[in-house]
Each structure stands twice: as structure tokens, then as C-alpha cells.
Amino acid sequence: MADWVDRAGKDADGEDAEEGEEEDLDDARYMAVKDAVLFLIDVSSSMLQRPPESDSTSKKGSNDSATLAALKCAYQLMQQRIISNPNDKLGILLYGTEQSKFPNEDAAQDQSTPYPHCYLLTDLDIPAAEDVKALKAIVEDEDESSKLLVPSPEPVSMANVLFCANTIFATRAANFSSRRLFVVTDNDDPHAKDPALKSTAIVRGKDLYDLGVVIELFPIAQPDQGFDRSKFYDNMIYRNVSTESENLASPPAPLASSSAGNGISLLNSLLSSVKSKAVARRALFSNMPLEIGPGFSISVKGFIIYKRQTPARSCYVWLNGEKAQIAKGTSIPTADDTARPVEPAEIKKAYKFGGGHVAFTTDEAKSLRYFGEPVIRIIGFKPVSLLPFWASVKPSTFIYPSEDDYVGSTRVFSALQQKLLKDDKMGLAWFIPRRNAVPTIVAILPSSEKIGEEGNQISPPGLWLVPLPYADDVRQDPDTTHVVAPDSLVDMMRKVIQQLQLPKAQYNPGKYPNPALQWHYRILQAMALDEDLPEKPEDATIPKYRQIDKRAGDYVIEWGKELEEQYRVWQREHHGSSVPSKRAAAQTTDGNLPKRPKTGATTAGVSNHSSSAVGSNHPADEDMKMHYEKGTLNKLTVSTLKAWMEGKKISVAGKKADLVDAIEAWFDTKPVVR
């Protein structure tokens, strides 16, 4: 019988031919969940008030109002979503505006509109290039924004605003599993003097909750007043106890609208707060039983917290029709010898063994991979110190309790997490993530709550499932010859490490976007929006060589000299000579390696020239250039620095550090000195 081959590398059922050999968590469905986000932005007089200008806020956007900062935040999120999440919907609804606009309604007929003082700036839909351009014109053109952002002279009914949002979600995103309303306002009690309107608005909030819409509040605290959620929004925003594990972040702290004229800090805070909620938290698996002991189980959900992001998958487009259409590919298994299409019933899955093939039916192949129903079964506890750093072989999964199957799971889960933290223990568990998946031995590591500088929750308390390797996964160590560094080298390197520690001695991934991914999206955005192509990518991972040299340059040079000396000692002990023949030929009489001569002058010549220059207060440009390249300008005297700066008409005001910075800035702009 001929060997049947699928040209697309898939079997008759359309499943991957390699299925079962690499049993990763199936997050395709997890990532495919559609999300709809509607920004609800307050346009009141206080939200439109710009912070006072000051000398320290000369940057563009430093005096943006809270409303304009929220629009810029929505604009940046729309730029990201149009490429990274092409199936998600995003809209912007302004309330409290003098104008009114709603689909199928004339903006000029304010008296007849069903939602007065509600302006649907961008309809809830998949963002198009035209939507991004229109929003860009508003956030960058002050005249356009001033025409639109005019507050209403009369108060706005929050019940009517929420009903308008309800209508938008019901008509534009009826079948979306994730629907969220981002409310940006500084008014913590919109109906303080009218209990009836407040009660009606709370009912409208309950209607949104019944529709499946999650309300996320982004409070703005003005300088003269704070923001008290308990006055109105704690009653309007409903939370379901059974789905509380979906909301892993604590309520956001009010964002301060600075009175010092720094609107950029407000925008950055708002962006940070929105980005933390920009991607809906979706459970990778739900209601997974966590067996703590025989007959003792609770229910948990699993989340992907960290996952490597890649550019959106490209597609083929057919351009011969009236409009471009995405081409969908199909695969047909064929026979190798006759190229005849093969029916699914004619195909069996086979594995090579001893030069032959062992065939299995579909049911037999599945039974080979069946080790039981999905479960997390604890088999024991060990000290965390016994877990080596290399033991993790796959990305970890964050789990959180769920009350769906077992009431009281949250309390038991919390007790387990706190006990593991207190005793510095970890759990070992048998983990089957889904049916027909290969079971994994995992370490259950507890994590405590982490709070940011602004009081917001960065990561919640919970448990992590860290996959551990089997004996088959451990490879043989390579043969190496280990040379132990002497204590003097270790002590000197410790100084280098101490000088080059990251801020707060920890890595913050939020400060380092993937340059390749951001460059890819930036090019796509520029081409889609007819913008100028950028010249080079913004790469925050490039080391700051100048700062590194200032902080640790001298220590590195000293360590290098010590390394040379220790290497000669090691050579004498192991080979009976100070250095190899080539290095010995280059060695000077004093035991040190010779210095490389300077171009156009000997070392002594440069030194004498520098001394005469300093003595006459007219240092040569070549000498200053040499000190600049070596980073030794700070070793020159203040009088020498000022004498050279006066010849170049550079301001000599400030301390010595200011003079050095001014000279370095001069050389940065004029690297060639004649």
C-alpha cells in the first residue's frame, strides 16, 4: 500500500501531525476571544481645566487637561489595537458636551436626540485607519479640540449616559464575550443633591452588569479635592463574587491632576493604568479541581500572565476582485505515487519503530495520551530552597481561586498560599492541563501582593505552577575545565556590579518594550496611516555607554589589570612560565604590557604638551579630545576646563560637573576637532 502524505503536514482530521509530541497549553482559543472597549470620558469644566504653566513644563503636552489626556490615551490604545488585536472593537463616548451626536441622529437636533449631551466621537467598531486619523486630528489640533470639547451649561444625567452606553454595547457588540466600559471622570458624586437620579443611575449600572459589561473606573483627583468612590461608584459598579477571580487587580487609586503644570505625568499615569487593563484577563482554564488531599478539592482558574509576543500573523490577499479579500488555504492529503486525493478513512497515524511503522487508529492514538481528567493533584511539600533556578522548562501558569464548583475555595486557597509563604515552602503536584495532555510535575510557588509607587496593585497574591523537568528532559553536562577566580578578582568585580545595578536592584519589564516588535508595528502604522516612515527604531535596550563608563569605567580598568596579573600567576603555577611566548615578547621590563602609542605623538609628547597647555591656560584641542574619548575630563582642573571653554565661547557657569557636561555636549555635536 502506498504511503499517504498530507501536503500541509496535517492528518485527515485537520489536526497537526505532531500532535501529542509537544503538549503545550492550548491558548489559541484563549487568545481568540474578542474584546470590546468603550471609553466614557467626562467633558466637564473641571476636567477641561488646564494646569497652570510653569518654567519646568515646556514640553509639548505638559499642560494638557484631564479630558485631553484621556483622549490621547484612547488614541494610543487605538493605534495598538488596530494592528495587534485586529478583531477587537473600540469606541469613544463623550458625555457632558454641549453638542450631542448618536448614530442615525443629526448632531444639530440637540432637542430631539434621545441622549442629550452625549457625543459618540468614535463608534464601537473595529478601528479603521480613518478613525485613527480623525482622532489624531482632535488630539493634536487645538482648534479642532476646542470646537468639540465644550462643556454643557446644564448637568448631565448619569442614568441617561449609562443607558446610552448600554445601547451601544447591545447593538455593536452583542455577541462579544468581553465587553468593558472605561469611565474617566473627576466627579465622585454626580447627583449629590438628587437622590432619585442617583438611584436611577445605580439601576442603569446594574443593567450593564446584567448585560455582561464590566465597568472599569479611572478616577481623576483634582488638587483641591480627592475622589471618594464610596459616594457613588461603589454602589454603581457591580462585582460578581463568583467571577471575582477574573478581576485580579485591586480598585485603582485616584490619578492626581497635578497643580504644578505637569500634564505629562497625568497622561503617563493614565496610560499606565489603562494599559494594565487594556488586555482583558481571560482564564486559560476554568474550574480546574485542585486536590489538596483525598476527597478534599477546591476550584481554581489559570491565567497567562507572561507570554512572548510576536507580530500578528500575515495573510494572503486576493486583489483581482472589486475589493481585497483574504485568501483562505485548504489542504488535501494525496498519495505520493499517484497524487490521488485520499479519504480520511484510508489514513492511520503511525510511528516509526525499528525500521518499520506501527499504525494506530484515532481512538488508539488518543488512548495513548490519556492519563486522566484535567486536575492539579498535590503530592507533597518541600522547602523552596530545594528548587534549582534551572528547573523551569516551560512558562509558568498563574492560578487563582474560583467559587463556581466549590463554595469556600477562596478561603482555602488563601490559607494555603499564606502558609506556603510563611514557612517558605512549595508544593509538588501532578498537573494535567487538559484532556489527552501529557501530565506534568509542577512546583506550586506562592507569590505575595506587589504594590506600585502610586499605590496600585502590580501583581496580586496567588500561586504559580512551575513545570519541572523529567529525567528524560535533562541533558548531559558538557565537559569543562573549571578555573576558580581568586578572591581579589571577585572582590573587584563586586564593585563593578554594585555600580551597575538596575534601579531598585530589580528588572522592570514595563520600561523595555521589544524593539523588533515595536518597529514592526510602527512601520505598519506609518504605511496604513500615510505617515512618514521613521528613520530608526526606538530601542530602550541599548546600553548607556557614557553612564556606564562614568560609573564603572575605572573599576573595570583596574579589574582588567588585576586579571592580567592573576593570569600570569596562573601560568607560572600550571605551565612554569609567566606568560605564553607571544605575550612574553610583548612584555616590558616592569612586567606590564606596553601601552599603545598615540597617533601623531608619543605618550611623553602628549603629556608634556598637556602640561604646557595647562600651565599657559590654553589646552590644545587634541588633548581635550583625548580626555573626552577616555572619559577623563573630570581629572582636569577647573581653570584648565574654563580656559578651553572660553576659547570656544562656551558658558563657564556652574560647578566642575556642569563644565564637564558642557564640554561633552560640545564634542557630541562636533566629533571632529581640527
Side-chain angles (χ1 to χ4, degrees):
M1 183 176 178
D3 292 332
W4 305 111
V5 179
D6 180 4
R7 300 294 183 187
K10 295 186 177 182
D11 59 17
D13 296 330
E15 299 178 351
D16 292 341
E18 301 296 329
E19 181 185 2
E21 297 182 7
E22 184 65 29
E23 292 292 346
D24 291 329
L25 290 177
D26 183 14
D27 59 346
R29 181 181 60 83
Y30 170 86
M31 299 299 294
V33 176
K34 295 181 180 180
D35 185 30
V37 174
L38 178 64
F39 276 86
L40 187 61
I41 302 175
D42 187 4
V43 186
S44 60
S45 300
S46 58
M47 286 284 288
L48 291 174
Q49 185 177 0
R50 296 177 179 270
E53 297 184 359
S54 62
D55 296 337
S56 60
T57 57
S58 58
K59 295 182 179 180
K60 182 178 179 181
S62 60
N63 62 338
D64 287 339
S65 64
T67 298
L68 191 57
L71 287 174
K72 288 185 176 181
C73 179
Y75 169 64
Q76 293 195 24
L77 184 61
M78 184 179 291
Q79 285 180 303
Q80 299 171 5
R81 288 297 181 92
I82 196 174
I83 296 176
S84 60
N85 303 82
N87 295 323
D88 291 353
K89 293 186 177 182
L90 191 144
I92 302 174
L93 176 63
L94 307 178
Y95 72 96
T97 57
E98 188 177 24
Q99 304 181 53
S100 301
K101 179 184 176 182
F102 198 74
N104 301 325
E105 295 288 339
D106 187 0
Q109 298 177 354
D110 294 346
Q111 301 299 327
S112 60
T113 182
Y115 308 109
H117 309 302
C118 293
Y119 193 95
L120 188 59
L121 181 61
T122 303
D123 202 358
L124 185 62
D125 204 345
I126 297 176
E130 292 75 12
D131 299 328
V132 180
K133 292 179 181 179
L135 186 56
K136 180 181 179 181
I138 294 176
V139 299
E140 294 185 355
D141 191 342
E142 189 172 348
D143 294 335
E144 289 289 333
S145 60
S146 60
K147 294 178 183 178
L148 175 63
L149 303 179
V150 179
S152 169
E154 55 188 28
V156 183
S157 171
M158 284 300 298
N160 199 42
V161 172
L162 295 176
F163 186 62
C164 178
N166 191 317
T167 304
I168 295 173
F169 279 114
T171 56
R172 298 298 185 184
N175 298 323
F176 276 51
S177 58
S178 174
R179 291 176 286 186
R180 294 178 296 162
L181 182 66
F182 287 2
V183 182
V184 184
T185 180
D186 64 344
N187 190 355
D188 56 2
D189 195 4
H191 300 300
K193 299 180 179 180
D194 196 331
L197 287 177
K198 178 184 291 188
S199 177
T200 306
I202 293 175
V203 172
R204 294 300 186 191
K206 180 64 165 58
D207 293 341
L208 284 169
Y209 166 79
D210 294 337
L211 188 64
V213 177
V214 177
I215 301 178
E216 302 284 3
L217 178 64
F218 299 91
I220 307 294
Q222 295 295 345
D224 55 343
Q225 61 181 14
F227 194 100
D228 189 357
R229 296 168 55 96
S230 62
K231 291 182 179 180
F232 174 73
Y233 286 97
D234 281 347
N235 296 323
M236 189 201 73
I237 300 177
Y238 283 77
R239 301 290 183 188
N240 189 352
V241 177
S242 63
T243 60
E244 189 65 27
S245 60
E246 295 283 356
N247 183 24
L248 300 183
S250 60
L255 306 175
S257 178
S258 175
S259 60
N262 192 359
I264 291 181
S265 61
L266 172 61
L267 175 60
N268 292 336
S269 300
L270 190 59
L271 275 173
S272 175
S273 184
V274 169
K275 283 182 179 179
S276 65
K277 299 177 179 294
V279 179
R281 292 183 175 91
R282 305 155 185 160
L284 180 62
F285 52 79
S286 300
N287 305 327
M288 174 83 70
L290 172 60
E291 294 185 7
I292 302 177
F296 183 23
S297 300
I298 61 175
S299 180
V300 297
K301 294 184 178 182
F303 298 86
I304 296 178
I305 304 297
Y306 301 102
K307 180 176 176 61
R308 183 176 180 271
Q309 295 297 314
T310 56
R313 185 178 179 182
S314 61
C315 57
Y316 294 100
V317 180
W318 184 62
L319 301 175
N320 292 335
E322 295 181 359
K323 62 179 183 178
Q325 300 180 20
I326 297 179
K328 297 182 179 179
T330 58
S331 62
I332 301 176
T334 60
D336 241 359
D337 49 0
T338 63
R340 178 182 66 86
V342 181
E343 297 297 328
E346 303 179 72
I347 300 177
K348 285 187 177 181
K349 181 170 291 188
Y351 295 91
K352 292 182 180 181
F353 185 82
H357 293 82
V358 180
F360 295 90
T361 64
T362 303
D363 293 338
E364 289 173 341
K366 290 182 178 179
S367 64
L368 290 176
R369 302 193 303 268
Y370 183 76
F371 285 84
E373 295 297 318
V375 68
I376 305 172
R377 182 177 296 117
I378 295 180
I379 57 179
F381 298 93
K382 292 286 184 180
V384 176
S385 59
L386 296 181
L387 180 66
F389 72 93
W390 48 261
S392 179
V393 294
K394 292 182 181 179
S396 303
T397 303
F398 183 80
I399 59 174
Y400 213 67
S402 170
E403 298 284 333
D404 291 344
D405 288 351
Y406 300 96
V407 177
S409 295
T410 302
R411 178 172 296 182
V412 176
F413 184 93
S414 177
L416 175 63
Q417 181 256 351
Q418 294 180 30
K419 182 62 176 176
L420 292 177
L421 275 177
K422 180 180 178 181
D423 294 350
D424 199 21
K425 300 284 186 179
M426 66 176 179
L428 294 176
W430 169 273
F431 177 41
I432 302 179
R434 64 183 187 278
R435 289 180 60 89
N436 300 328
V438 175
T440 306
I441 299 296
V442 297
I444 303 179
L445 294 179
S447 64
S448 57
E449 184 180 30
K450 293 183 179 179
I451 304 298
E453 297 178 354
E454 300 177 357
N456 58 319
Q457 186 186 64
I458 298 178
S459 62
L463 298 176
W464 291 85
L465 303 181
V466 181
L468 302 179
Y470 287 111
D472 316 76
D473 303 327
V474 180
R475 300 184 179 182
Q476 186 65 33
D477 295 335
D479 295 331
T480 58
T481 302
H482 185 56
V483 179
V484 179
D487 294 339
S488 59
L489 275 179
V490 175
D491 294 339
M492 296 179 71
M493 180 52 68
R494 184 179 294 111
K495 295 180 181 179
V496 176
I497 295 175
Q498 290 174 350
Q499 292 297 321
L500 299 180
Q501 283 191 355
L502 291 171
K504 298 184 179 180
Q506 63 181 2
Y507 171 72
N508 181 8
K511 295 183 178 181
Y512 304 100
N514 184 341
L517 187 65
Q518 296 301 321
W519 180 243
H520 173 81
Y521 286 159
R522 185 67 185 90
I523 294 296
L524 290 183
Q525 174 186 321
M527 297 181 67
L529 303 180
D530 297 328
E531 298 176 347
D532 295 334
L533 292 177
E535 297 181 357
K536 61 179 181 179
E538 296 181 2
D539 190 356
T541 63
I542 297 178
K544 299 179 180 179
Y545 298 105
R546 182 67 56 78
Q547 295 184 11
I548 292 175
D549 182 63
K550 285 184 177 180
R551 299 181 63 178
D554 294 338
Y555 294 108
V556 173
I557 294 175
E558 293 176 3
W559 182 86
K561 294 179 180 178
E562 180 68 16
L563 176 62
E564 291 285 348
E565 179 64 28
Q566 293 296 334
Y567 177 73
R568 283 190 287 270
V569 173
W570 183 85
Q571 285 286 342
R572 286 195 298 268
E573 294 176 353
H574 293 78
H575 299 284
S577 60
S578 58
V579 290
S581 58
K582 292 184 178 180
R583 301 180 64 89
Q587 191 174 359
T588 59
T589 57
D590 59 355
N592 295 324
L593 295 178
K595 297 182 179 179
R596 182 178 299 174
K598 302 296 179 179
T599 303
T602 64
T603 304
V606 173
S607 177
N608 292 336
H609 188 193
S610 300
S611 299
S612 62
V614 173
S616 59
N617 286 336
H618 292 288
D621 292 346
E622 291 82 1
D623 295 346
M624 297 298 292
K625 176 69 172 180
M626 179 191 67
H627 287 291
Y628 161 77
E629 292 175 346
K630 290 186 175 181
T632 57
L633 288 172
N634 57 345
K635 295 185 179 181
L636 300 179
T637 62
V638 175
S639 59
T640 302
L641 297 176
K642 289 186 176 181
W644 185 86
M645 294 173 67
E646 289 173 353
K648 300 299 179 183
K649 298 182 179 180
I650 304 175
S651 174
V652 295
K655 299 181 179 180
K656 185 176 182 179
D658 300 327
L659 303 181
V660 172
D661 292 339
I663 295 175
E664 290 178 348
W666 189 90
F667 278 111
D668 289 340
T669 57
K670 298 179 180 180
V672 180
V673 180
R674 299 295 182 188

